[in-house]
Amino acid sequence: MKILLRLVLAAALVALGLWLWSALFPSPEKIIRKRLAELARDVSFSAGEGNLARLAGAEQVAGFFSTNVEVRLDVPGRVRHRFVGREQITQAALASRSETSELIVKFPDVNVSVAPDKQSATVDLTVEADVSGRRNAIVQEMKFTFQKIQGRWLITRVETVRTLSQDISRPAPRLEAGNLAIRAVATGLSVCIFAATPVVSNG
Amino acid sequence: MAAPDPTASPPRLARWLRVAVIGRNPKVTLGRALVLAAVCIVVFKFILLPARVEGISMLPTYQDHTMAFVNRLAYLWHPPRRGDVVGIRLAGMHVMYLKRIVGLPEETVAFRNGHVFINGKLLDEPYEKLPCDWTLPPVKDGPDQFFVVGDNRSMPPGEHVFGRVERDRIVGKAVL
């Protein structure tokens, strides 16, 4: 009995040690995932935000990017923009806050590939944006490039990924979209699945 | 006053409730519940992905805010077929596109006056119920590409997500 107790205690100590190690020295992937979660939170905003809060929010968003960041948004038929530098990111964040009353951004799928030197990483993710006034969320696959600059993981490049390649001619770009997305509910018991509530979990 | 006898059988209603909730044998009930949970998790996580349909681009086949299932085993033995409604993954499988395959690998797909032409031949589309006036130049699929489009082509092409997709992005066939 004593041996068993000792073994259990030793296992608990090892588990605690591992948890502490991962909490104190997180892997680059963990840090990047955390940064992305923070970015999604900071890009999102709700109605009734004051001017100061707007500016602070936009500045906070820009803080996730490197000074020479390049953002290329190219969704045929919908949007085509190119931003270079933090200043333009701030302006774009401010513009989005003044044009839309509410925006909720989520990254339901995030795939992180860290380079062998652990100084850069590419992230393939799905952006899901709930914009006020729209019945359905906008979804878009994107690729982010991160670099470790002065100890911080900053976004140096953002580009849209064409899930469906469309090189046929399309009408002039518009912001409105009517795409159809389905959200797969990852896990759940049958009771949860057939319940009227929306997506149970994106995790 | 005599104290209640602890060995006496519980009232009939309480016994009935107990049987209804946890069964005659709680151990057996627990085992069944665990098996059911395991089966549900395996089926709905790895085989039949439950999905909530959002958007109108698959009207009238799939209505907005309804449920669908994506069968991940559908293409184990044969490749996706023309006319199949498939789930297409983006960065992962928590958000997918739901589209219909109209063009197979190496085929040329074109839209003329709302009709789909495959290698110059008109495609019969019985599922296409809404009016369409799209005219788009031909596109050739690559060796591992499928051309997918929604059923609701009454909306302008600029508002509709469609095009060629790589085979490895097709998660499975939509059922129900």
Side-chain angles (χ1 to χ4, degrees):
Chain A
M1 195 65 192
K2 252 185 180 176
I3 293 171
L4 187 72
L5 193 69
R6 279 178 190 167
L7 278 174
V8 169
L9 270 174
L13 272 174
V14 168
L16 184 71
L18 285 173
W19 177 79
L20 266 176
W21 179 266
S22 70
L24 293 173
F25 307 103
S27 65
E29 183 179 341
K30 207 171 172 185
I31 296 170
I32 289 168
R33 283 180 184 276
K34 197 178 164 200
R35 295 281 289 162
L36 285 167
E38 289 166 357
L39 175 67
R41 192 195 58 211
D42 288 351
V43 168
S44 306
F45 54 87
S46 52
E49 209 180 41
N51 283 344
L52 270 177
R54 252 187 224 173
L55 190 64
E59 291 282 351
Q60 236 169 343
V61 169
F64 287 91
F65 299 86
S66 67
T67 48
N68 58 346
V69 62
E70 185 181 4
V71 178
R72 279 176 182 272
L73 302 177
D74 185 7
V75 185
R78 280 192 259 164
V79 61
R80 195 163 285 167
H81 283 302
R82 182 170 174 261
F83 309 108
V84 178
R86 253 188 208 164
E87 188 56 35
Q88 287 193 4
I89 298 285
T90 312
Q91 295 303 323
L94 269 175
S96 72
R97 281 170 145 81
S98 48
E99 282 168 16
T100 315
S101 63
E102 195 171 7
L103 173 70
I104 296 164
V105 173
K106 289 179 203 157
F107 301 136
D109 287 303
V110 177
N111 303 312
V112 183
S113 311
V114 181
D117 63 357
K118 300 199 173 175
Q119 294 301 307
S120 66
T122 53
V123 180
D124 183 32
L125 54 81
T126 305
V127 180
E128 188 180 351
D130 268 305
V131 185
S132 61
R134 285 187 59 94
R135 191 173 154 85
N136 296 307
I138 298 169
V139 291
Q140 177 64 47
E141 188 175 349
M142 303 198 81
K143 187 178 161 189
F144 284 39
T145 306
F146 277 80
Q147 263 183 13
K148 201 171 183 182
I149 300 169
Q150 293 172 343
R152 290 182 71 208
W153 284 96
L154 297 174
I155 301 164
T156 55
R157 192 178 167 83
V158 178
E159 55 198 309
T160 43
V161 174
R162 293 190 179 185
T163 311
L164 305 182
S165 51
Q166 302 158 331
D167 48 10
I168 45 184
S169 60
R170 306 288 297 268
R174 284 185 54 166
L175 274 170
E176 286 301 309
N179 66 325
L180 181 146
I182 56 172
R183 299 177 193 186
V185 181
T187 315
L189 302 178
S190 52
V191 177
C192 303
I193 288 154
F194 291 106
T197 49
V199 179
V200 174
S201 151
N202 280 327
Chain B
M1 205 173 107
D5 179 10
T7 58
S9 59
R12 213 170 159 180
L13 182 66
R15 222 177 334 151
W16 180 86
L17 259 177
R18 201 187 128 178
V19 169
V21 174
I22 56 171
R24 286 181 208 288
N25 188 338
K27 276 184 189 168
V28 172
T29 306
L30 182 68
R32 280 178 181 163
L34 288 175
V35 169
L36 179 68
V39 167
C40 282
I41 288 169
V42 170
V43 168
F44 293 121
K45 192 171 166 67
F46 301 106
I47 300 169
L48 269 185
L49 294 182
R52 195 183 66 188
V53 178
E54 273 194 13
I56 57 166
S57 74
M58 273 304 285
L59 285 175
T61 314
Y62 287 92
Q63 304 287 328
D64 191 10
H65 293 112
T66 53
M67 291 286 290
F69 288 87
V70 176
N71 177 8
R72 294 188 68 188
L73 304 182
Y75 301 125
L76 272 186
W77 316 116
H78 63 83
R81 293 171 178 153
R82 196 190 323 278
D84 286 355
V85 177
V86 293
I88 298 160
R89 69 168 176 81
L90 281 83
M93 286 195 284
H94 294 121
V95 177
M96 290 186 273
Y97 287 130
L98 190 66
K99 300 286 168 190
R100 191 181 293 276
I101 293 174
V102 292
L104 301 178
E106 308 277 13
E107 288 184 340
T108 302
V109 181
F111 288 86
R112 266 181 256 153
N113 299 320
H115 297 291
V116 177
F117 288 82
I118 305 294
N119 295 334
K121 285 184 185 165
L122 178 68
L123 176 67
D124 179 33
E125 294 186 285
Y127 44 80
E128 195 54 30
K129 309 266 193 246
L130 300 170
C132 172
D133 60 356
W134 293 9
T135 295
L136 300 165
V139 175
K140 190 171 183 200
D141 293 337
D144 202 29
Q145 286 182 326
F146 294 81
F147 196 97
V148 295
V149 62
D151 287 354
N152 180 7
R153 295 170 218 160
S154 65
M155 56 204 287
E159 295 181 7
H160 195 111
V161 176
F162 64 97
R164 292 170 297 169
V165 63
E166 303 294 330
R167 168 68 183 87
D168 62 4
R169 280 193 179 267
I170 296 177
V171 174
K173 183 179 176 180
V175 289
L176 300 176

